[in-house]
């Protein structure tokens, strides 16, 4: 990409592809059944072999283990089950030697209840750490309702006897929210961030960062207000704190400025029109945010992760990704992901994970992910085509979210059968089953007993056999990553949606200067004709195709079920007739 001058500022993190490793699930090195840093260290060659650029690891800090590391007890220590600080340093150094950048997940919205700050805070209102958290004194009556996502009573406040007050927790009661309105809290957190930059990390993925600022008058939020002002979404209210942007600017000045690092925030509750406020270069805040509009599709609005029986709708899907892509034409740069550690497996959610179409649809999803105008995130195991495990019993789950909501429903109605059924589609543990390295015992993940059941399909779906198969998902992903690297137009080029009205085919053009690419994706298990091509591209204009060939009809191209194809050639050779925007 030596000579290009894109219409926007070039940055390594715009041209990069992120690979997310959930360490618990990735590779166990000592037989205790839990993935660890040495396991990751020995897998760096594999990660580099994919052709990705940035490695994001989920939290490995000392934690009380309620939420797999998202409940931090000591921000500067490593959870012993993952290894030591020296092990982490080896991972950082090995990644750098392989030309990878590496970023760490920082959880700064809350701590563990066992963090020394909170243990001290909860003893007395006079304690210096009391003001590190948010409290509602009991003499003011019951606190105004807040949603606690992972609490059995659904409440975001928990009563603490020694202080006779309630503390705020947006997630579980074991995860009290830090009081960012207190400058001393921010000072301490910035110090922690500097500590990790000094270890050699190339940036951060900030957990739930849009939730950090709170209106400490804690106004009443009635269901009517929530509906009218916040789209019935607590995440949207939580992301509306009064000083959010002040803190992000301060963090940039105090910590990030002068470092060649990337700052990525998980950004629940942010609508596309607000995204530039976070990532426009002249704002001096963040570099990238990850939105939730895509992964919310196909769920019943207002109900907790209830799958829509009709699945997701292609019109909505195209609308979400087109809107977000257009947002960043004005300012900033986007991200795209179809799965992560909080989601079911992407092939189960967006493709068809049945035997017939699993490989084809997984390849189609990767074709989409890696040809959009955004920094793509690949979640470990998706490159093998891993699918959701679909547990049937509550005791098979480890996830705090599943357990707490199950308990809440059982307490309420004595029955959580429907919920368990829904969790087969939406549950987070679907995406957390151990990585499938081999066809052998425990998929080569561990020599011990895995912390979470391994998907029984691992004899068919595993790295070892896919390495040998040129037609595997793994090798397809490698080819796509190479193509993205070689075609700057697939990174920086304009995005133009072609199939506005088609309910099954998602097709778009990526173009920039003399390069034009057409991406054709048949999101269905039926054949579909595509008639936007006026002439037949030559065989060597096909960059990638998840089928051995193409079928041309007089009326156009006949796309096979879940067929994905990318054409590339000069715009003059390649006749494209975009449909008029709706
Ligand atoms: O996710 C939190 C997050 O913002 C959403 O998934 C949230 O549950 C949703 O907006 C509620 O409507 C992060 C981590 O990725 C997750 O693994 C942690 O459990 C969570 O924060 C708490 O730290
Ligand atoms: Ca281990």
């Amino acid at each position: 990409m030596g000579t290009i001058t894109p219409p926007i500022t070039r940055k390594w993190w715009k041209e990069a592809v992120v690979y997310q490793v959930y360490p618990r699930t990735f590779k166990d090195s000592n037989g205790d059944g839990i993935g660890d840093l040495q396991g990751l260290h020995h897998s760096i060659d594999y990660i580099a072999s994919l052709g990705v650029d940035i490695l994001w690891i989920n939290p490995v800090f000392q934690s009380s283990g309620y939420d797999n590391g998202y409940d931090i007890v000591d921000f500067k220590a490593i959870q012993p089950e993952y290894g030591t600080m020296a092990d982490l340093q080896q991972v950082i150094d090995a990644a750098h030697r392989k030309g990878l950048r590496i970023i760490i997940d920082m959880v700064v919205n809350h701590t563990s209840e066992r963090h020394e700050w909170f243990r001290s805070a909860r003893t007395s209102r006079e304690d210096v750490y009391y003001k590190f958290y948010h409290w509602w004194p009991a003499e003011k009556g019951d606190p105004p309702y807040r949603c606690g996502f992972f609490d059995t009573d659904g409440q975001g406040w928990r009563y603490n006897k020694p202080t006779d007050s309630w503390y705020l927790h947006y997630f579980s009661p074991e995860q009290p929210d830090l009081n960012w309105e207190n400058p001393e809290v921010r000072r301490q957190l910035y110090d922690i961030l500097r500590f990790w930059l000094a270890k050699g990390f190339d940036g951060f993925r900030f957990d739930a960062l849009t939730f950090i600022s709170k209106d400490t008058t804690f106004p009443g939020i009635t269901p009517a207000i929530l509906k009218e002002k916040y789209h019935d979404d607590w995440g949207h209210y939580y992301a509306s704190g009064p000083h959010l942007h002040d803190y992000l600017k301060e963090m940039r000045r105090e910590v990030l400025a002068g470092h060649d690092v990337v700052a990525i925030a998980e950004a629940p509750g942010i609508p596309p029109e607000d995204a530039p406020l976070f990532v426009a270069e002249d704002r001096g805040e963040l570099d990238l945010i990850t939105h939730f509009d895509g992964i919310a599709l196909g769920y019943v609005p207002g109900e907790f992760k209830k799958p829509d029986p009709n699945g997701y709708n292609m019109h909505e899907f195209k609308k979400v990704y087109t809107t977000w892509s257009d947002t960043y034409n004005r300012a900033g740069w986007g991200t795209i992901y179809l799965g992560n550690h909080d989601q079911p497996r992407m092939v189960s959610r967006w493709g068809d994970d049945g035997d017939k179409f699993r490989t084809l649809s997984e390849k189609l999803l990767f074709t989409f992910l890696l040809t959009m105008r955004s920094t793509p995130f690949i979640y470990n195991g998706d490159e093998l085509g891993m699918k959701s495990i679909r547990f049937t019993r509550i005791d098979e789950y480890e996830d705090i979210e599943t357990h707490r909501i199950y308990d809440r429903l059982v307490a309420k109605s004595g029955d959580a059968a429907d919920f368990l059924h829904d969790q087969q589609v939406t549950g987070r543990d679907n995406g957390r089953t151990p990585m499938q390295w081999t066809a052998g015992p425990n998929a080569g993940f561990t020599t011990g007993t895995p912390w979470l059941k391994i998907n029984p399909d691992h004899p068919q779906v595993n790295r070892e056999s896919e390495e040998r198969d040129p037609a595997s998902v793994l090798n397809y992903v490698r080819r796509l990553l190479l193509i993205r690297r070689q075609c700057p137009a697939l990174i920086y080029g304009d995005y133009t949606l072609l199939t506005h009205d088609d309910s099954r085919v998602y097709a778009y053009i990526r173009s920039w200067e003399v390069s034009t690419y057409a991406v054709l994706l048949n999101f269905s298990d039926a054949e579909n004709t595509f008639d936007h091509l006026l002439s037949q591209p030559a065989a060597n204009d096909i960059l990638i195709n998840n089928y051995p060939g193409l079928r041309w009809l007089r009326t156009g191209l006949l796309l096979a079920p879940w067929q994905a194809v990318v054409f590339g050639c000069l715009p003059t050779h390649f006749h494209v007739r975009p449909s008029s925007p709706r």
Side-chain angles (χ1 to χ4, degrees):
M1 303 212 352
T3 58
I4 59 158
T5 43
I8 47 159
T9 334
R10 277 185 70 173
K11 294 279 185 197
W12 57 265
W13 41 263
K14 294 179 184 173
E15 295 167 20
V17 175
V18 180
Y19 185 75
Q20 180 192 351
V21 165
Y22 198 61
R24 199 172 187 80
T25 262
F26 199 60
K27 178 79 178 139
D28 176 22
S29 71
N30 62 354
D32 67 355
I34 297 169
D36 49 48
L37 289 167
Q38 276 307 325
L40 172 56
H41 178 212
H42 294 300
S43 312
I44 295 283
D45 282 355
Y46 166 72
I47 296 168
S49 82
L50 299 172
V52 295
D53 308 276
I54 302 176
L55 171 58
W56 151 28
I57 56 175
N58 289 96
V60 290
F61 313 108
Q62 200 186 318
S63 131
S64 45
Y66 284 97
D67 192 15
N68 291 351
Y70 286 94
D71 45 337
I72 295 175
V73 170
D74 184 342
F75 284 98
K76 294 184 183 175
I78 304 300
Q79 175 77 346
E81 64 194 0
Y82 295 133
T84 64
M85 193 66 91
D87 295 328
L88 180 58
Q89 195 66 57
Q90 278 190 321
V91 170
I92 298 171
D93 296 344
H96 285 162
R97 268 199 306 280
K98 282 280 161 186
L100 295 167
R101 288 190 163 88
I102 177 166
I103 65 173
I104 185 78
D105 207 318
M106 283 305 300
V107 193
V108 290
N109 176 69
H110 45 270
T111 67
S112 163
E113 57 161 2
R114 295 190 208 161
H115 192 288
E116 60 175 22
W117 296 341
F118 192 72
R119 283 197 317 199
S120 193
R122 73 185 317 171
T123 58
S124 141
R125 289 191 193 185
E126 272 65 58
D127 189 274
V128 279
Y129 290 105
Y130 188 73
K131 291 196 165 67
F132 268 43
Y133 296 87
H134 292 288
W135 299 92
W136 182 267
E139 60 271 21
K140 283 170 75 177
D142 283 348
Y145 178 75
R146 291 292 180 272
C147 173
F149 297 126
F150 309 157
D151 199 348
T152 28
D153 63 8
Q155 281 272 359
W157 295 101
R158 182 56 69 103
Y159 181 70
N160 180 56
K161 197 145 193 273
T163 56
D164 192 27
S165 54
W166 304 68
Y167 65 87
L168 185 67
H169 66 86
Y170 284 175
F171 294 92
S172 78
E174 293 84 0
Q175 293 162 299
D177 281 49
L178 279 166
N179 178 10
W180 272 69
E181 317 304 324
N182 177 351
E184 182 56 17
V185 169
R186 304 201 301 275
R187 205 186 61 73
Q188 298 254 4
L189 290 173
Y190 299 157
D191 173 66
I192 290 160
L193 299 179
R194 283 189 217 101
F195 172 88
W196 288 107
L197 283 183
K199 297 265 176 216
F201 279 108
D202 301 293
F204 301 104
R205 178 268 188 190
F206 291 104
D207 185 63
L209 195 66
T210 45
F211 291 177
I212 54 176
S213 176
K214 275 102 180 166
D215 178 347
T216 52
T217 65
F218 297 112
I221 306 294
T222 60
I225 295 177
L226 192 71
K227 194 177 165 102
E228 218 155 275
K229 285 186 73 179
Y230 305 105
H231 310 113
D232 244 339
D233 173 12
W234 278 102
H236 196 202
Y237 172 68
Y238 290 165
S240 310
H243 303 120
L244 175 57
H245 291 289
D246 300 334
Y247 300 154
L248 297 179
K249 287 188 168 69
E250 183 184 75
M251 183 171 80
R252 165 72 61 180
R253 281 196 311 271
E254 294 291 318
V255 180
L256 305 168
H259 294 272
D260 184 22
V261 296
V262 65
I264 309 174
E266 188 197 31
I270 304 300
E273 57 273 22
D274 292 348
L277 297 175
F278 294 84
V279 295
E281 272 168 58
D282 58 1
R283 297 272 303 172
E285 297 190 14
L286 299 163
D287 298 312
L288 299 169
I289 61 171
T290 57
H291 69 79
F292 279 65
D293 287 359
I295 52 121
L297 289 170
Y299 291 165
V300 178
E303 297 220 35
F304 177 79
K305 290 194 179 174
K306 185 142 192 69
D308 184 327
N310 300 314
Y312 67 96
N313 165 321
M314 206 56 216
H315 292 296
E316 292 293 318
F317 189 90
K318 286 188 278 193
K319 200 168 135 200
V320 163
Y321 289 102
T322 301
T323 304
W324 277 92
S325 186
D326 292 349
T327 294
Y328 295 118
N329 286 337
R330 297 194 295 278
W333 186 255
T335 61
I336 185 165
Y337 66 102
L338 293 172
N340 61 29
H341 64 294
D342 294 335
Q343 301 299 325
R345 283 286 171 185
M346 79 176 191
V347 69
S348 306
R349 181 80 192 281
W350 311 110
D352 178 339
D353 70 6
D355 290 344
K356 200 165 168 201
F357 296 124
R358 172 181 184 157
T359 303
L360 285 165
S361 64
E362 184 82 83
K363 289 176 178 173
L364 173 138
L365 295 171
F366 269 106
T367 313
F368 171 62
L369 188 69
L370 297 174
T371 58
M372 286 292 282
R373 188 177 179 278
S374 286
T375 297
F377 286 57
I378 298 176
Y379 179 57
N380 60 191
D382 281 345
E383 78 279 15
L384 304 174
M386 283 177 63
K387 70 173 183 184
S388 290
I389 192 160
R390 298 192 176 87
F391 290 136
T392 53
R393 301 191 319 264
I394 186 64
D395 59 304
E396 291 176 292
Y397 286 94
E398 288 290 334
D399 183 15
I400 185 172
E401 178 178 271
T402 304
H403 278 280
R404 294 290 162 86
I405 292 159
Y406 179 89
D407 292 348
R408 182 194 310 172
L409 294 170
V410 169
K412 226 173 34 203
S413 64
D415 177 27
D418 285 350
F419 170 73
L420 273 187
H421 188 259
D422 293 348
Q423 283 287 289
Q424 293 196 337
V425 182
T426 64
R428 304 199 297 182
D429 277 344
N430 281 306
R432 298 177 178 183
T433 62
M435 183 82 173
Q436 294 165 206
W437 296 99
T438 70
N442 291 327
F445 163 72
T446 181
T447 54
T449 308
W451 70 278
L452 187 66
K453 205 165 132 192
I454 292 176
N455 199 310
D457 69 2
H458 77 268
Q460 292 79 47
V461 179
N462 62 76
R463 182 214 169 179
E464 195 179 43
S465 57
E466 293 191 37
E467 287 286 357
R468 289 192 298 261
D469 175 6
S472 65
V473 174
L474 175 61
N475 283 315
Y476 186 88
V477 171
R478 286 191 175 121
R479 278 209 300 286
L480 265 175
L481 284 163
L482 193 64
I483 290 168
R484 185 174 175 94
R485 188 178 304 281
Q486 289 169 343
C487 306
L490 286 179
I491 297 169
Y492 290 113
D494 292 337
Y495 159 94
T496 311
L497 176 64
L498 291 178
T499 50
H500 291 271
D501 303 320
D502 199 306
S503 60
R504 294 187 289 215
V505 176
Y506 189 171
Y508 46 91
I509 298 287
R510 301 295 316 282
S511 65
W512 179 40
E513 294 186 341
V514 294
S515 309
T516 299
Y517 300 95
V519 181
L520 277 45
L521 308 166
N522 179 9
F523 273 80
S524 82
D525 57 9
E527 292 180 331
N528 282 294
T529 36
F530 177 78
D531 61 1
H532 288 259
L533 292 167
L534 295 184
S535 75
Q536 227 170 281
N540 59 1
D541 291 335
I542 300 171
L543 261 74
I544 200 161
N545 179 2
N546 65 351
Y547 273 78
L550 293 171
R551 281 174 65 198
W552 294 94
L553 306 176
R554 247 172 315 144
T555 46
L557 178 61
L558 186 71
L559 290 171
W562 294 104
Q563 185 160 24
V565 54
V566 181
F567 294 117
C569 44
L570 296 175
T572 44
H573 294 157
F574 191 64
H575 301 292
V576 175
R577 175 171 46 84
S579 49
S580 52
R582 267 185 298 198

